[in-house]
Amino acid sequence: MDRYGTDVLAGDWRKPKRGRAVEAPAELGAVVEEVETGWVGEIVRVDRDLGTVTLEDRRTKRRVFPLGPGFLLEGKPVILRPAVPAKAAPAGPRRTASGSIAVEKAPARVARQSRIFVEGRHDAELVEKVWGDDLRIEGVVVEYLGGVDDLADHLVDFQPGPQRRVGVLVDHLVQGSKESRIANAIMRGPHGAHVRIVGHPFIDVWQAVKPDRLGLKEWPRIPRNIEWKKGICQQLGWPHRNQADIARAWQHILSKVGSYADLEPALLGRVEELIDFVTVE
């Protein structure tokens, strides 16, 4: 027999009873104990820059501790380190504001002879914001048309043909309107085979922006004896004394448009139709 028993210095006598501390990620939601103070709490914040971790106990009180050793996780000593951010999933193809797949680093195409005429400055700005990337890739130039009354003269100057197609976007193109009569006359004329005239049903392109993007249930109804844009501004409590006020109102509306999803389908389909028409090979 060994009268002195087991050698107390045999083995790893320096090893703590709970085992040696190992590194562990400080993950939100994990419950740990800070050894020195006995504070037990859920990890609710990790500050990488400051090197701290915030613990919230069952009474919702919070304390901040330095990251590192001195914690117990499931009863075992750990050295808390900031969690490694998960690798982002491979990004899908970037899409343009119109919803098309973006062609990265592609130079703008040399402009086609075909054109799109857009009635109204605000209409042109909206088309540029949503479809601008697509139009540059396709080499399509959008020209501002002051009014549909001038369309016939523009076409005489432009001389549409098989390789010089013209697409035209007109406001408030509804049956029986002045705009529809002008459009029908042009389509029956000598340029009709190479021209496509489409329009949206809205009084003004402002209405093509979904009203909830502006916090509205619907666009206000304006009496016919009141200029529509001024009436809208008045109903919404916006300044409307002069053209500068109207311009600021439009810029506010335009700022709420980030992509095609912010526009009404009645406009989306018409613009896509024109792009298809003038880019046919």
Side-chain angles (χ1 to χ4, degrees), residues 83-267:
V84 177
K87 290 185 179 180
R94 187 178 71 83
R95 293 189 175 271
T96 66
S98 71
S100 302
I101 295 177
V103 181
E104 302 293 348
K105 299 181 180 178
R109 179 171 175 166
V110 175
R112 296 173 184 263
Q113 295 183 56
S114 299
R115 294 286 187 271
I116 291 178
F117 294 161
V118 177
E119 182 190 18
R121 195 172 304 279
H122 295 174
D123 306 59
E125 290 177 354
L126 186 60
V127 168
E128 164 60 28
K129 184 164 187 178
V130 177
W131 287 275
D133 288 343
D134 306 283
L135 294 170
R136 280 182 282 278
I137 290 295
E138 294 290 348
V140 177
V141 174
V142 174
E143 294 189 8
Y144 164 63
L145 180 66
V148 72
D149 294 348
D150 303 327
L151 179 57
D153 291 338
H154 275 70
L155 293 176
V156 169
D157 293 339
F158 187 80
Q159 286 299 304
Q163 304 302 318
R164 291 173 62 81
R165 292 185 166 206
V166 174
V168 186
L169 180 66
V170 179
D171 276 346
H172 202 224
L173 189 61
V174 295
Q175 188 173 4
S177 66
K178 175 192 72 173
E179 290 81 3
S180 68
R181 291 192 293 272
I182 293 174
N184 290 335
I186 289 173
M187 295 306 295
R188 291 193 299 266
H191 305 302
H194 310 298
V195 175
R196 176 72 57 84
I197 303 175
V198 301
H200 53 71
F202 310 114
I203 296 173
D204 190 275
V205 78
W206 289 19
Q207 283 185 308
V209 179
K210 291 180 178 178
D212 61 357
R213 300 314 193 256
L214 296 159
L216 306 173
K217 291 184 178 180
E218 61 180 13
W219 283 95
R221 298 181 182 275
I222 307 302
R224 291 190 176 185
N225 63 334
I226 298 177
E227 186 179 342
W228 192 84
K229 289 176 180 175
K230 288 187 176 181
I232 288 293
C233 292
Q234 184 178 18
Q235 287 285 331
L236 299 180
W238 298 347
H240 54 281
R241 290 179 299 176
N242 51 43
Q243 191 57 38
D245 288 336
I246 301 300
R248 279 189 289 270
W250 167 240
Q251 290 305 314
H252 173 68
I253 295 169
L254 188 61
S255 72
K256 302 301 182 181
V257 177
S259 75
Y260 72 97
D262 300 314
L263 302 180
E264 298 287 358
L267 176 67

Side-chain angles (χ1 to χ4, degrees), residues 53-109:
V53 58
T54 302
L55 305 183
E56 182 178 278
D57 69 8
R58 59 190 178 87
R59 299 182 182 85
T60 69
K61 292 183 178 180
R62 296 186 176 189
R63 286 190 62 174
V64 179
F65 300 95
L67 287 165
F71 296 93
L72 297 178
L73 176 62
E74 297 181 352
K76 297 179 180 179
V78 293
I79 302 169
L80 289 181
R81 302 295 188 201
V84 177
K87 290 185 179 180
R94 187 178 71 83
R95 293 189 175 271
T96 66
S98 71
S100 302
I101 295 177
V103 181
E104 302 293 348
K105 299 181 180 178
R109 179 171 175 166

Side-chain angles (χ1 to χ4, degrees), residues 27-32 39-45 53-58 61-63:
E27 297 178 332
L28 298 180
V31 177
V32 298
W39 186 276
V40 178
E42 175 186 349
I43 297 176
V44 294
R45 183 179 180 186
V53 58
T54 302
L55 305 183
E56 182 178 278
D57 69 8
R58 59 190 178 87
K61 292 183 178 180
R62 296 186 176 189
R63 286 190 62 174

